[in-house]
Amino acid sequence: MTSSRKNKTLLIDEEAASALELLKDGLLLPATSLMGLKESQSVLKSGLINGKTFPFPFILAPSGKRNLEVLKSLEVGEELSIIFNDKPFATLIVDEVFPVDPSERIKHIYGTDDISHPGVAATINRLGTLGVCGEYTLCNESSNKIKESIKNAQQAIGAKHTTSLVMAANPLHRAHERLIRHSLEDTDLLVIFLLKSYTESNLDYETRKETLDFFINNFLTKNHVLVVPLDNSYIFGGYNEIIIDAIVAKNYATNRLVIGRNHAGLGMFYDCNSDKSIIDKVVGIDIEISIASEYVYCDKCTTLVSKNTCPHGQHHQISYNSNSILELLELGLLPPTILVRKEISAHILSKLFPKRFKNLEKLYYDILPIEGLLEERTEKDFYLELMKLYQTTSLT
């Protein structure tokens, strides 16, 4: 692979490209540029850039033997071509090439370098031992459509207050629905940043977006919720995830970030014998961060409740574990409707198992009540009708 120009070339992956675009769009302020060794050390020591929180150095250090050879050969002032997906992505004027310890970098992001940690395992192999910094220019820089869509949504309803949620909705379950409703109670506009994952162990983005759109369009007030994509790159990993979420949400012109009580980044740490969360480390970022209750289904209350208000013990409460619910769906099982809305389960199963049934029409005729002539039905329709049979109680 060669660049169309005679510059030396550096190869990057999708995560690095996404992070460079976020920085160039001003969505990682107070970070404004790639960092060199001195600035990186300053951020590691203080956790600040110009008096504002930033959790770790923003650097470019791609792995690979060819990249290493190129980085070793660079000189200050040299122009470097950055290649992504075999196409020119950016050009960079070299200020500095400096050493990077991948293991230490991993610890700064995830709080551990234990290879059994899924984030560590996914990130360690893409980090090199040399970083490069300098002013860079994107080859196809364009206006940020997400910024525009949020601004248009705010203007359409005259929103004075905008709240944000960052979620995977993998899959969208009842606790997610309650969290969304809770977040809508005292805001004009709710922006849901739906994470786009780089792994294949998740429901694809389009399926998750469709389920969110179904819930919003059918069960919430119109024009007050906006779903936009957010690339889930490595910088959103680890215990600093909430800090980066807050920075991006603020730079997308939202006033508040709502965090679920069971958010993976909401670990507690101790300082001078007092409990503090990672939220207490956010300095100078003008956004309110609120923590919502953890929701469970209580078989005594027979409804979805907050753990803060339910008087019954844990042995009466069903938690909403996304991985476990997804496992049911991936096995082809319909989760109980107390966990996932039946229409959403039906949609996901029809996507996970397309053309699953040999003779769908015959199944309809044999086991489902049919009114009049048999019409053409989809697999999604079949799951919905089947769920109704599960809910029949006269023989149970």
Side-chain angles (χ1 to χ4, degrees), residues 300-315:
K300 286 287 188 181
C301 298
T302 65
T303 189
L304 192 71
V305 295
S306 163
K307 290 191 76 171
N308 293 341
T309 60
C310 178
H312 307 112
Q314 188 173 350
H315 53 289

PDB file of all heavy atoms in Angstrom, residues 300-315:
ATOM      1  N   LYS A 300     -42.898  -9.257  44.983  1.00  0.00           N
ATOM      2  CA  LYS A 300     -43.850  -8.867  46.019  1.00  0.00           C
ATOM      3  C   LYS A 300     -44.624  -7.615  45.578  1.00  0.00           C
ATOM      4  O   LYS A 300     -45.837  -7.528  45.731  1.00  0.00           O
ATOM      5  CB  LYS A 300     -43.126  -8.593  47.336  1.00  0.00           C
ATOM      6  CG  LYS A 300     -42.655  -9.855  48.056  1.00  0.00           C
ATOM      7  CD  LYS A 300     -43.838 -10.593  48.674  1.00  0.00           C
ATOM      8  CE  LYS A 300     -43.358 -11.734  49.559  1.00  0.00           C
ATOM      9  NZ  LYS A 300     -44.501 -12.473  50.142  1.00  0.00           N
ATOM     10  N   CYS A 301     -43.872  -6.634  45.048  1.00  0.00           N
ATOM     11  CA  CYS A 301     -44.520  -5.421  44.547  1.00  0.00           C
ATOM     12  C   CYS A 301     -45.229  -5.695  43.219  1.00  0.00           C
ATOM     13  O   CYS A 301     -46.119  -4.943  42.823  1.00  0.00           O
ATOM     14  CB  CYS A 301     -43.492  -4.311  44.343  1.00  0.00           C
ATOM     15  SG  CYS A 301     -42.625  -3.787  45.840  1.00  0.00           S
ATOM     16  N   THR A 302     -44.821  -6.777  42.538  1.00  0.00           N
ATOM     17  CA  THR A 302     -45.322  -7.185  41.212  1.00  0.00           C
ATOM     18  C   THR A 302     -45.220  -6.061  40.192  1.00  0.00           C
ATOM     19  O   THR A 302     -46.105  -5.855  39.372  1.00  0.00           O
ATOM     20  CB  THR A 302     -46.774  -7.711  41.277  1.00  0.00           C
ATOM     21  OG1 THR A 302     -47.638  -6.638  41.683  1.00  0.00           O
ATOM     22  CG2 THR A 302     -46.891  -8.887  42.204  1.00  0.00           C
ATOM     23  N   THR A 303     -44.110  -5.334  40.244  1.00  0.00           N
ATOM     24  CA  THR A 303     -43.865  -4.287  39.259  1.00  0.00           C
ATOM     25  C   THR A 303     -42.385  -3.921  39.269  1.00  0.00           C
ATOM     26  O   THR A 303     -41.621  -4.378  40.126  1.00  0.00           O
ATOM     27  CB  THR A 303     -44.730  -3.043  39.549  1.00  0.00           C
ATOM     28  OG1 THR A 303     -44.614  -2.136  38.447  1.00  0.00           O
ATOM     29  CG2 THR A 303     -44.288  -2.342  40.821  1.00  0.00           C
ATOM     30  N   LEU A 304     -42.010  -3.080  38.323  1.00  0.00           N
ATOM     31  CA  LEU A 304     -40.655  -2.558  38.265  1.00  0.00           C
ATOM     32  C   LEU A 304     -40.507  -1.461  39.314  1.00  0.00           C
ATOM     33  O   LEU A 304     -41.323  -0.538  39.369  1.00  0.00           O
ATOM     34  CB  LEU A 304     -40.383  -1.990  36.875  1.00  0.00           C
ATOM     35  CG  LEU A 304     -38.938  -1.656  36.510  1.00  0.00           C
ATOM     36  CD1 LEU A 304     -38.133  -2.925  36.326  1.00  0.00           C
ATOM     37  CD2 LEU A 304     -38.909  -0.834  35.220  1.00  0.00           C
ATOM     38  N   VAL A 305     -39.487  -1.562  40.155  1.00  0.00           N
ATOM     39  CA  VAL A 305     -39.330  -0.624  41.262  1.00  0.00           C
ATOM     40  C   VAL A 305     -37.875  -0.180  41.375  1.00  0.00           C
ATOM     41  O   VAL A 305     -36.966  -0.823  40.856  1.00  0.00           O
ATOM     42  CB  VAL A 305     -39.756  -1.256  42.612  1.00  0.00           C
ATOM     43  CG1 VAL A 305     -41.240  -1.564  42.611  1.00  0.00           C
ATOM     44  CG2 VAL A 305     -38.942  -2.516  42.893  1.00  0.00           C
ATOM     45  N   SER A 306     -37.680   0.924  42.081  1.00  0.00           N
ATOM     46  CA  SER A 306     -36.343   1.357  42.433  1.00  0.00           C
ATOM     47  C   SER A 306     -35.876   0.579  43.663  1.00  0.00           C
ATOM     48  O   SER A 306     -36.641   0.380  44.606  1.00  0.00           O
ATOM     49  CB  SER A 306     -36.347   2.860  42.737  1.00  0.00           C
ATOM     50  OG  SER A 306     -35.174   3.227  43.441  1.00  0.00           O
ATOM     51  N   LYS A 307     -34.633   0.178  43.674  1.00  0.00           N
ATOM     52  CA  LYS A 307     -34.100  -0.511  44.845  1.00  0.00           C
ATOM     53  C   LYS A 307     -34.089   0.407  46.069  1.00  0.00           C
ATOM     54  O   LYS A 307     -34.078  -0.063  47.205  1.00  0.00           O
ATOM     55  CB  LYS A 307     -32.681  -1.025  44.564  1.00  0.00           C
ATOM     56  CG  LYS A 307     -32.629  -2.188  43.580  1.00  0.00           C
ATOM     57  CD  LYS A 307     -31.261  -2.836  43.527  1.00  0.00           C
ATOM     58  CE  LYS A 307     -31.010  -3.702  44.739  1.00  0.00           C
ATOM     59  NZ  LYS A 307     -29.779  -4.508  44.614  1.00  0.00           N
ATOM     60  N   ASN A 308     -34.112   1.719  45.818  1.00  0.00           N
ATOM     61  CA  ASN A 308     -34.124   2.676  46.925  1.00  0.00           C
ATOM     62  C   ASN A 308     -35.454   2.703  47.660  1.00  0.00           C
ATOM     63  O   ASN A 308     -35.526   3.118  48.826  1.00  0.00           O
ATOM     64  CB  ASN A 308     -33.822   4.085  46.410  1.00  0.00           C
ATOM     65  CG  ASN A 308     -32.409   4.222  45.886  1.00  0.00           C
ATOM     66  OD1 ASN A 308     -31.536   3.421  46.203  1.00  0.00           O
ATOM     67  ND2 ASN A 308     -32.183   5.237  45.075  1.00  0.00           N
ATOM     68  N   THR A 309     -36.532   2.296  46.981  1.00  0.00           N
ATOM     69  CA  THR A 309     -37.860   2.412  47.587  1.00  0.00           C
ATOM     70  C   THR A 309     -38.517   1.074  47.873  1.00  0.00           C
ATOM     71  O   THR A 309     -39.520   1.029  48.594  1.00  0.00           O
ATOM     72  CB  THR A 309     -38.792   3.221  46.663  1.00  0.00           C
ATOM     73  OG1 THR A 309     -38.911   2.546  45.394  1.00  0.00           O
ATOM     74  CG2 THR A 309     -38.247   4.628  46.431  1.00  0.00           C
ATOM     75  N   CYS A 310     -37.992  -0.008  47.339  1.00  0.00           N
ATOM     76  CA  CYS A 310     -38.590  -1.331  47.555  1.00  0.00           C
ATOM     77  C   CYS A 310     -38.159  -1.881  48.923  1.00  0.00           C
ATOM     78  O   CYS A 310     -36.960  -2.005  49.200  1.00  0.00           O
ATOM     79  CB  CYS A 310     -38.169  -2.290  46.452  1.00  0.00           C
ATOM     80  SG  CYS A 310     -38.815  -3.969  46.663  1.00  0.00           S
ATOM     81  N   PRO A 311     -39.119  -2.242  49.789  1.00  0.00           N
ATOM     82  CA  PRO A 311     -38.769  -2.722  51.127  1.00  0.00           C
ATOM     83  C   PRO A 311     -38.391  -4.199  51.172  1.00  0.00           C
ATOM     84  O   PRO A 311     -37.957  -4.692  52.207  1.00  0.00           O
ATOM     85  CB  PRO A 311     -40.061  -2.475  51.916  1.00  0.00           C
ATOM     86  CG  PRO A 311     -41.140  -2.660  50.908  1.00  0.00           C
ATOM     87  CD  PRO A 311     -40.589  -2.129  49.613  1.00  0.00           C
ATOM     88  N   HIS A 312     -38.583  -4.911  50.077  1.00  0.00           N
ATOM     89  CA  HIS A 312     -38.367  -6.358  50.080  1.00  0.00           C
ATOM     90  C   HIS A 312     -36.910  -6.686  49.756  1.00  0.00           C
ATOM     91  O   HIS A 312     -36.211  -5.910  49.102  1.00  0.00           O
ATOM     92  CB  HIS A 312     -39.310  -7.022  49.082  1.00  0.00           C
ATOM     93  CG  HIS A 312     -40.743  -6.633  49.297  1.00  0.00           C
ATOM     94  ND1 HIS A 312     -41.452  -5.862  48.405  1.00  0.00           N
ATOM     95  CD2 HIS A 312     -41.578  -6.861  50.337  1.00  0.00           C
ATOM     96  CE1 HIS A 312     -42.674  -5.658  48.867  1.00  0.00           C
ATOM     97  NE2 HIS A 312     -42.773  -6.253  50.046  1.00  0.00           N
ATOM     98  N   GLY A 313     -36.471  -7.812  50.194  1.00  0.00           N
ATOM     99  CA  GLY A 313     -35.064  -8.189  50.056  1.00  0.00           C
ATOM    100  C   GLY A 313     -34.698  -8.576  48.632  1.00  0.00           C
ATOM    101  O   GLY A 313     -35.547  -8.737  47.759  1.00  0.00           O
ATOM    102  N   GLN A 314     -33.388  -8.758  48.447  1.00  0.00           N
ATOM    103  CA  GLN A 314     -32.859  -9.095  47.132  1.00  0.00           C
ATOM    104  C   GLN A 314     -33.432 -10.400  46.600  1.00  0.00           C
ATOM    105  O   GLN A 314     -33.541 -10.592  45.387  1.00  0.00           O
ATOM    106  CB  GLN A 314     -31.329  -9.167  47.204  1.00  0.00           C
ATOM    107  CG  GLN A 314     -30.658  -9.329  45.858  1.00  0.00           C
ATOM    108  CD  GLN A 314     -29.144  -9.213  45.975  1.00  0.00           C
ATOM    109  OE1 GLN A 314     -28.617  -8.838  47.021  1.00  0.00           O
ATOM    110  NE2 GLN A 314     -28.448  -9.551  44.904  1.00  0.00           N
ATOM    111  N   HIS A 315     -33.829 -11.311  47.518  1.00  0.00           N
ATOM    112  CA  HIS A 315     -34.356 -12.603  47.087  1.00  0.00           C
ATOM    113  C   HIS A 315     -35.738 -12.467  46.448  1.00  0.00           C
ATOM    114  O   HIS A 315     -36.263 -13.438  45.901  1.00  0.00           O
ATOM    115  CB  HIS A 315     -34.416 -13.579  48.275  1.00  0.00           C
ATOM    116  CG  HIS A 315     -35.132 -13.062  49.471  1.00  0.00           C
ATOM    117  ND1 HIS A 315     -34.608 -12.072  50.267  1.00  0.00           N
ATOM    118  CD2 HIS A 315     -36.335 -13.379  50.010  1.00  0.00           C
ATOM    119  CE1 HIS A 315     -35.449 -11.807  51.250  1.00  0.00           C
ATOM    120  NE2 HIS A 315     -36.513 -12.574  51.120  1.00  0.00           N
TER     121      HIS A 315
END
